[in-house]
Amino acid sequence: MKAKKRYRISIEDESRLRQVASVSVSPTMLWACGIASILLLIAITGSIIMATPIRTLMPGYLKKGERTEAKEGLLRIDSIRDAYRVNSLYINNILKVLDTDRTPTDSLLTETTPNELPPDSLLPASPKEIEFISQMKDREQYNVSILAPLAADQLRIYPVASSATVAEQSQNALKPRILTPKNSPICAAADGRVIAIENPAPEGGRAIVMQHDNGFVSRYSHLGTPTISPGAHVDGGSVISHGATGGATGAGYFYMEMWYDGNSVEPAKILNLKD
């Protein structure tokens, strides 16, 4: 039987002619120890690089200041790209206007029309969905009818017009017709901020939408010339329109809507208007 090859590592004290230490290893064990030593050395080196500032010397590593400058540079590039796009559109429009040989066309025809939704995305609600929506509306209607007047008590409500009354047929409507003397100024019902002015409004005339405290939003429609502008803060009772556009001789009217936390409420109950 052939003997296995082994390596012996010895440490000898030549001055005293004696052997201090001796280790006998096989070639396999010697290779395993060498590989383990290399892996350990790599792990120790990697840990030192990751845990110390030495990593900043590695190729491709950005320092903190350089990283910040790189981000700011990318943001500036995006801003320049947007400015270039806007300026290009402006220049193209100017060139089109100055081009005497162009064929006059309606600019609305050049607008891109949105693609219609596929029929399967417009499926009607199922019976269970309709029943659920009906139940939620009934429950929310109860919550709004109770909570809205309580929240309105914390607002200071002002008259919306001189001698204003609600038309009898719209006493409990979500968009009642409010009767006023002819050319009577229309006022803000409470302190708030103007968030939109519709000119013209679908009902005719102008419409003003205001955001109030405690989650209330009001909309006045069928108005005359507004006296305020979008974004303006308006005190309650301040004039927002020179009269209403509706009504016969000697009388006028406008419409009013109110929402509380996104739910429609009856303005007559909030404003304490009576016929």
Side-chain angles (χ1 to χ4, degrees):
M1 183 176 179
K2 186 178 180 180
K4 294 182 179 180
K5 187 176 181 180
R6 298 183 68 85
Y7 297 96
R8 181 177 296 276
I9 301 175
S10 301
I11 301 176
E12 297 181 352
D13 185 356
E14 295 183 352
S15 63
R16 299 183 180 181
L17 301 177
R18 67 172 183 172
Q19 187 174 350
V20 178
S22 177
V23 178
S24 177
V25 295
S26 63
T28 303
M29 183 178 295
L30 186 61
W31 276 103
C33 292
I35 294 174
S37 300
I38 294 174
L39 294 177
L40 180 61
L41 181 60
I42 293 174
I44 293 174
T45 304
S47 301
I48 293 175
I49 292 175
M50 295 302 296
T52 62
I54 296 178
R55 66 180 181 275
T56 59
L57 303 177
M58 297 293 293
Y61 186 89
L62 290 178
K63 298 180 180 179
K64 185 176 181 181
E66 295 174 347
R67 191 183 302 274
T68 302
E69 292 178 359
K71 290 181 179 179
E72 293 177 352
L74 292 175
L75 292 176
R76 285 194 294 268
I77 292 174
D78 289 340
S79 301
I80 293 173
R81 185 189 297 114
D82 292 340
Y84 171 78
R85 181 180 58 83
V86 173
N87 290 336
S88 296
L89 292 175
Y90 175 76
I91 293 173
N92 290 337
N93 288 334
I94 295 296
L95 293 176
K96 185 179 295 184
V97 171
L98 297 178
D99 185 7
T100 57
D101 296 331
R102 69 184 178 90
T103 303
T105 57
D106 188 352
S107 60
L108 292 178
L109 298 178
T110 62
E111 295 292 334
T112 303
T113 56
N115 296 328
E116 295 184 359
L117 294 175
D120 57 350
S121 65
L122 303 175
L123 295 176
S126 64
K128 289 186 178 181
E129 291 176 329
I130 295 175
E131 181 181 0
F132 175 77
I133 293 173
S134 177
Q135 292 176 356
M136 292 299 297
K137 284 184 176 179
D138 293 341
R139 189 173 70 178
E140 290 301 320
Q141 183 65 29
Y142 172 78
N143 292 337
V144 171
S145 63
I146 297 299
L147 297 179
L150 295 177
D153 289 341
Q154 302 176 20
L155 292 177
R156 184 174 181 182
I157 303 299
Y158 295 83
V160 292
S162 176
S163 304
T165 59
V166 179
E168 183 178 0
Q169 65 273 21
S170 61
Q171 272 288 324
N172 299 321
L174 296 177
K175 187 178 181 180
R177 174 182 291 189
I178 301 178
L179 308 177
T180 66
K182 190 67 173 180
N183 297 325
S184 176
I186 309 303
C187 305
D191 296 348
R193 185 174 298 277
V194 180
I195 58 178
I197 295 181
E198 303 171 26
N199 184 18
E203 306 88 338
R206 287 88 165 176
I208 297 175
V209 184
M210 294 185 60
Q211 173 71 60
H212 307 284
D213 294 335
N214 297 349
F216 282 95
V217 175
S218 62
R219 180 178 184 269
Y220 313 75
S221 57
H222 225 288
L223 300 180
T225 304
T227 61
I228 39 78
S229 57
H233 182 274
V234 180
D235 295 331
S238 299
V239 176
I240 61 174
S241 172
H242 292 303
T245 58
T249 304
Y253 69 85
F254 67 96
Y255 295 99
M256 188 167 182
E257 300 167 85
M258 293 192 75
W259 294 266
Y260 170 65
D261 285 347
N263 298 290
S264 298
V265 296
E266 299 177 13
K269 292 183 179 179
I270 303 299
L271 304 177
N272 297 321
L273 295 175
K274 299 180 180 179
D275 57 354

